[in-house]
Amino acid sequence: MTKRIRIFLLLPLLTGCYDTELVFEDQYRVVVEAYLYVDRDISKIYISSMISFGEDSTGGEKITDARVLLGRDNTNWTFTHDDSVPGTYYLDESPALVPGDTFRLTVELDDAILTAETVIPETPAAVTMSSGTIYIPKVETMMDFRSIEMPDPVELTWNNPDADYYFFNIQNIESYPLPIMPDPPVNSPFARGRFIFQMVTRPTNDNFYSISVRDLTHFGTHRIVVTRVNEEYVYLYNSQDQDTRELNEPYTNIENGLGIFTAFNSDTLYLEVVPVYN
């Protein structure tokens, strides 16, 4: 039996329209999304069936009857299904996540056993900031804003002799941040303080990153979460950047299934963006 293309999606769906019809063997696959964060409880993982695309599109159903185990050495922890959120499983008691430890995930269904392993990353290397504060003139009109001299970017640097991968989550954490841009439209979220700046970078194995002042939208305190990631996450991230005409399945490290099981280790810095009034 044959059906049209079946692929699983973990990141936002890309759509396209093409005349070519591709045909693959019919199959049923299970999709797992499981992430371990150092210093955080293992609150949930997600299990569903993959999505089929075509005239007979099916799939995407939440799987609620799996037996899910997290193992380290000879110890196992059993997940509980969250009936209020179908397809979601959680641990009542989370194990300590120690850098260098290997964890295995097992998902048991009636006719299949899915497995995966990941290693807890080391603590991120200490990141040095060229400055912890940026001073930007506060002006009243766009004409004045275009003429001001912007300060230099903030340079983040760290030792990375083994070319490990990192990404940065940069977020303004003020409750009512003051916009940098003058004269926001009355109906814009900038004017009402509802827009909260956040930027998540691509994974990089460099030893530096620059925060451009022109990327920032508001004054105030910015939290910078520095996260060290494993290569399986990088493979998954990069596999999302395909041309929609390729329709390839994203990377998976789930044996006998699809999806991702990986771990993160983070540290936090803070950056102050301060208005200067003439």
Side-chain angles (χ1 to χ4, degrees):
M1 178 179 181
T2 58
K3 288 189 177 181
R4 295 177 187 272
I5 296 171
R6 290 173 176 267
I7 64 175
F8 78 95
L9 297 173
L10 298 182
L11 301 183
L13 174 65
L14 300 176
T15 59
C17 181
Y18 303 96
D19 295 332
T20 303
E21 178 179 312
L22 303 179
V23 180
F24 291 85
E25 291 298 319
D26 185 27
Q27 55 181 323
Y28 175 84
R29 305 291 293 278
V30 174
V31 181
V32 177
E33 296 178 65
Y35 305 95
L36 306 181
Y37 298 86
V38 174
D39 295 330
R40 271 204 250 170
D41 289 340
I42 303 170
S43 57
K44 60 189 66 176
I45 68 170
Y46 306 93
I47 305 177
S48 62
S49 64
M50 72 177 177
I51 302 172
S52 170
F53 291 89
E55 295 174 357
D56 55 352
S57 294
T58 59
E61 296 89 357
K62 308 304 181 184
I63 295 174
T64 61
D65 58 350
R67 183 169 183 259
V68 185
L69 302 173
L70 181 70
R72 180 185 58 199
D73 298 328
N74 296 320
T75 304
N76 288 300
W77 295 265
T78 302
F79 284 83
T80 301
H81 181 258
D82 184 352
D83 293 332
S84 66
V85 187
T88 301
Y89 296 76
Y90 65 92
L91 282 180
D92 290 315
E93 181 180 357
S94 297
L97 303 181
V98 179
D101 281 357
T102 297
F103 281 84
R104 65 184 178 276
L105 183 71
T106 303
V107 178
E108 299 178 356
L109 297 166
D110 290 339
D111 55 355
I113 297 178
L114 288 67
T115 60
E117 286 191 351
T118 193
V119 177
I120 306 301
E122 296 296 325
T123 302
V127 175
T128 299
M129 302 174 64
S130 59
S131 177
T133 305
I134 297 176
Y135 296 95
I136 300 177
K138 185 70 177 81
V139 295
E140 299 301 326
T141 68
M142 282 300 300
M143 186 66 66
D144 292 336
F145 183 79
R146 294 191 185 100
S147 64
I148 66 174
E149 182 177 350
M150 285 293 183
D152 293 333
V154 173
E155 303 290 345
L156 308 179
T157 57
W158 61 95
N159 291 325
N160 195 17
D162 297 324
D164 293 317
Y165 280 90
Y166 292 78
F167 71 83
F168 298 86
N169 186 335
I170 307 167
Q171 182 179 20
N172 186 299
I173 59 175
E174 300 288 345
S175 297
Y176 299 96
L178 177 68
I180 296 173
M181 295 284 288
D183 300 329
V186 174
N187 294 326
S188 78
F190 292 90
R192 295 192 293 272
R194 292 187 289 105
F195 178 88
I196 301 297
F197 169 84
Q198 182 170 8
M199 178 174 65
V200 180
T201 70
R202 297 178 62 91
T204 177
N205 61 350
D206 288 331
N207 61 353
F208 65 91
Y209 182 78
S210 295
I211 301 176
S212 172
V213 174
R214 295 193 180 276
D215 288 335
L216 303 173
T217 61
H218 288 76
F219 294 105
T221 302
H222 290 68
R223 180 173 56 218
I224 305 173
V225 179
V226 184
T227 302
R228 178 176 279 183
V229 298
N230 291 328
E231 287 191 344
E232 63 261 13
Y233 173 82
V234 179
Y235 296 150
L236 173 64
Y237 187 100
N238 291 338
S239 70
Q240 307 303 311
D241 289 339
Q242 61 176 304
D243 190 305
T244 56
R245 290 168 293 185
E246 296 174 1
L247 291 176
N248 295 325
E249 290 181 348
Y251 169 83
T252 176
N253 68 338
I254 306 294
E255 293 291 334
N256 205 29
L258 300 171
I260 188 72
F261 176 50
T262 191
F264 305 96
N265 199 344
S266 302
D267 198 2
T268 303
L269 306 169
Y270 292 92
L271 173 67
E272 298 293 336
V273 182
V274 178
V276 177
Y277 296 92
N278 293 329

